[in-house]
Amino acid sequence: MANSSLISTPICKMKGFGRDAGMRLIGLALLALAAGLYLMFGSDPLGALLFRLDSGLLSLVQAGVQRYLLPMLWDHVLLPVLEAPAWGVPLVLGAALTLFGWMRARG
């Protein structure tokens, strides 16, 4: 027999309903945003997207990294990141931050 208290409880007072529904709606909104951005920018590399936003930024960062930090850092770390699809970098960073947050919450 079904639990009668569950049936008589209004849906807005069910434990966790608002949070779960809110998270799902936020997830759908982010999915729609991602689809729109993909249609707008396609699968362009991150470097091409940054060049469209600010054409002098990449040359300034390259000069600063190669002059003041380490030239190999630009060639072997930053250049492959700039050649990756524009959606890949936020995806990897978001997954890493989510994993670290989950590990911290678990103690």
Side-chain angles (χ1 to χ4, degrees):
M1 186 164 189
N3 187 353
S4 62
S5 66
L6 182 62
I7 295 171
S8 65
T9 304
I11 196 163
C12 62
K13 292 192 176 190
M14 291 175 68
K15 185 178 181 180
F17 175 77
R19 181 182 63 227
D20 293 342
M23 291 301 288
R24 287 183 181 158
L25 288 173
I26 289 173
L28 284 173
L30 290 175
L31 185 63
L33 176 67
L37 288 173
Y38 182 77
L39 290 174
M40 187 184 317
F41 296 113
S43 60
D44 288 345
L46 180 63
L49 181 65
L50 290 175
F51 183 79
R52 270 191 270 163
L53 293 174
D54 186 4
S55 59
L57 175 70
L58 291 177
S59 59
L60 180 68
V61 170
Q62 179 184 10
V65 167
Q66 288 182 335
R67 184 173 301 144
Y68 298 113
L69 294 175
L70 187 63
M72 291 183 346
L73 180 67
W74 178 261
D75 294 332
H76 298 294
V77 177
L78 294 176
L79 197 57
V81 169
L82 291 172
E83 292 173 347
W87 54 266
V89 175
L91 177 72
V92 170
L93 288 174
L97 290 173
T98 302
L99 178 67
F100 293 144
W102 178 74
M103 289 170 47
R104 182 175 180 188
R106 289 189 53 110

